[in-house]
Amino acid sequence: MSYPIERVELRHLRMRLRSPFKTSFGVEDDREALAIRVWSDGVQGWGECPVAAFPGYSYETVGTAWHVLEAFFLPAVLGRAFEGAAELRLAMDHYKGHPLARAGLELALWDIIGRATGQSLRSLLGGTRERVPVGVSIGIQSDPAALVRAAGEYLAQGYRRIKVKIMPGRDLDDVRAVRQAFPEVALQVDANSAYTLDDAPRLRALDGLALLLIEQPLAEDDLIDHARLQAELRTPLCLDESILSARHARQALDLHACGIINIKPARVGGLSEAVAVHDLCRERGTAVWCGGMLETGIGRAANLALASLPGFTLPGDISASDRYYARDIAAPTFRLNPDSTIDVPTGPGLGVEVDLTELERVTVRKAEFVAG
Ligand code: NPQ
Ligand code: MG
């Protein structure tokens, strides 16, 4: 079976977040992202590029993703037919970088294959679980007391794993306050690259707070200093931004730069590379979990399918839809079960339907592309 790429629609979306999300790289009031719709032989597939308005998490933005898709990735695939994700990736292989942009296009093809064959994304990827454990990621608050209040509200909603964003000056006091208020909670922190090796003494103080992991304390391109830092800490380091491929994952593990890896399908350029990182880590006995990029229902459905693979042994940053959005663009939305899990969709492809009226309401720019 081969799937023709006949027509592609790009949409720049702007969705108001229920509350601003502050990290060490900045604050977002709105989620900006690209939605991709692909037409193939009577079937439509959806993808999402979880880019942002500014290059804070990574160098990619709505503008760069739109540009590389329009100028390079779409011309490379339009008018051609693909048997699967591996072949689609090959068509873009001579272009460098821009994983979030290419991941959105690959996701649309996975959705098409699932819908055309009546298979869920979970079964296409080899997922085994019907529901997956999840946690919540809390942005930097005004002060430690506000953070404790926010954590308490999420715990009351049923989340059993809390991740706290940290940055220099907003770390020890914040995390200590949460640990004191909730002595037993599964707790981890994420610095989004805000520290250097000179901060090792400060980071070592986190060692006493019984954290599950410390996520990406140092720069994205700094595996060697992560290895140096890991040697000084008991708490496992977890890499996020540093891992853009299975090759990076292997090198990070060889260097002992981390003990745990956060897998985001968009960050590694698509679901097929995400499965490759999962398989490598499973072989090596390294725990992985599924990260989050404040996805809409499209990307959230994909993350759930991925997190149903057997190596995802730690709770994912895949919160319920209402953690971020008052209204989502896809239905059904995802709800938290009382045991801090979310059900993995079972319908064909992504297993969600895009609400075209709501999608139109949050679209700030759109364009269509055909072969030619
Ligand atoms: C992380 N996510 O694990 C990311 C960071 C992040 C849930 O903590 C727009 C684009 C907004 C990318 C917000 C969580 C984002 C973004 C946060 C990435 O590091
Ligand atoms: Mg992270």
Side-chain angles (χ1 to χ4, degrees):
M1 214 14 218
S2 193
Y3 303 91
I5 309 293
E6 295 161 350
R7 181 152 69 110
V8 177
E9 178 188 72
L10 287 187
R11 285 172 183 261
H12 172 182
L13 312 181
R14 183 173 296 140
M15 293 164 70
R16 180 45 53 105
L17 292 170
R18 287 186 62 182
S19 56
F21 194 64
K22 185 176 177 192
T23 62
S24 63
F25 57 77
V27 60
E28 339 238 349
D29 297 291
D30 296 306
R31 182 68 175 89
E32 303 213 11
L34 290 188
I36 302 183
R37 172 156 50 159
V38 176
W39 282 261
S40 178
D41 211 2
V43 178
Q44 286 179 31
W46 291 90
E48 169 179 3
C49 307
V51 283
F54 62 92
Y57 171 79
S58 82
Y59 62 79
E60 291 187 79
T61 66
V62 165
T64 68
W66 188 291
H67 167 64
V68 296
L69 282 160
E70 174 174 27
F72 307 111
F73 296 168
L74 296 184
V77 303
L78 272 164
R80 296 185 53 190
F82 299 93
E83 286 185 8
E87 208 184 330
L88 182 82
R89 291 176 56 168
L90 218 50
M92 301 183 276
D93 198 41
H94 52 300
Y95 295 124
K96 286 191 164 61
H98 302 279
L100 307 185
R102 67 182 78 213
L105 194 53
E106 192 191 305
L107 180 54
L109 180 65
W110 281 109
D111 191 27
I112 285 167
I113 295 170
R115 288 177 200 268
T117 62
Q119 288 176 274
S120 68
L121 186 56
R122 180 183 75 184
S123 76
L124 288 176
L125 298 178
T128 50
R129 281 174 295 182
E130 289 173 8
R131 62 190 75 82
V132 298
V134 302
V136 65
S137 174
I138 308 181
I140 294 166
Q141 306 292 310
S142 52
D143 54 54
L147 175 62
V148 169
R149 269 199 306 282
E153 283 165 22
Y154 287 121
L155 290 169
Q157 288 171 27
Y159 291 104
R160 289 209 206 123
R161 187 281 264 156
I162 299 283
K163 167 165 133 181
V164 169
K165 291 288 190 178
I166 58 169
M167 62 190 277
R170 294 304 307 278
D171 40 32
L172 273 180
D173 292 347
D174 288 78
V175 183
R176 216 182 268 127
V178 176
R179 177 48 84 215
Q180 270 164 16
F182 310 106
E184 302 293 330
V185 75
L187 183 63
Q188 61 194 59
V189 297
D190 186 358
N192 287 112
S193 304
Y195 296 88
T196 71
L197 204 51
D198 294 339
D199 299 306
R202 193 155 187 88
L203 294 166
R204 222 175 311 150
L206 291 169
D207 246 353
L209 295 173
L211 303 178
L212 287 171
L213 58 90
I214 299 171
E215 185 176 342
Q216 196 71 41
L218 311 178
E220 160 179 339
D221 57 357
D222 216 344
L223 285 185
I224 292 172
D225 277 358
H226 275 104
R228 293 201 173 114
L229 179 62
Q230 181 67 90
E232 296 187 36
L233 295 172
R234 279 184 294 124
T235 311
L237 294 183
C238 170
L239 291 176
D240 172 357
E241 287 92 324
S242 290
I243 306 298
L244 301 177
S245 65
R247 189 166 45 81
H248 284 161
R250 175 179 58 75
Q251 294 174 9
L253 296 180
D254 284 351
L255 285 170
H256 303 286
C258 64
I260 295 171
I261 289 178
N262 160 334
I263 302 180
K264 293 173 176 169
R267 192 197 64 226
V268 300
L271 282 167
S272 51
E273 189 70 15
V275 171
V277 178
H278 161 274
D279 293 349
L280 171 97
C281 290
R282 193 147 185 253
E283 224 166 82
R284 300 259 188 134
T286 301
V288 302
W289 54 285
C290 184
M293 305 269 283
L294 284 53
E295 284 88 350
T296 74
I298 296 170
R300 197 166 299 274
N303 287 350
L304 285 163
L306 179 70
S308 74
L309 271 70
F312 286 84
T313 52
L314 294 169
D317 269 352
I318 316 172
S319 306
S321 310
D322 69 1
R323 151 75 181 88
Y324 292 114
Y325 304 108
R327 286 181 74 178
D328 205 341
I329 57 166
T333 54
F334 298 107
R335 289 169 46 186
L336 188 70
N337 298 319
D339 62 349
S340 196
T341 64
I342 296 182
D343 295 346
V344 180
T346 55
L350 289 168
V352 295
E353 298 302 326
V354 173
D355 174 346
L356 291 171
T357 310
E358 184 58 17
L359 182 72
E360 196 61 32
R361 211 180 60 77
V362 299
T363 297
V364 298
R365 179 189 180 196
K366 67 178 168 183
E368 256 186 42
F369 305 91
V370 291

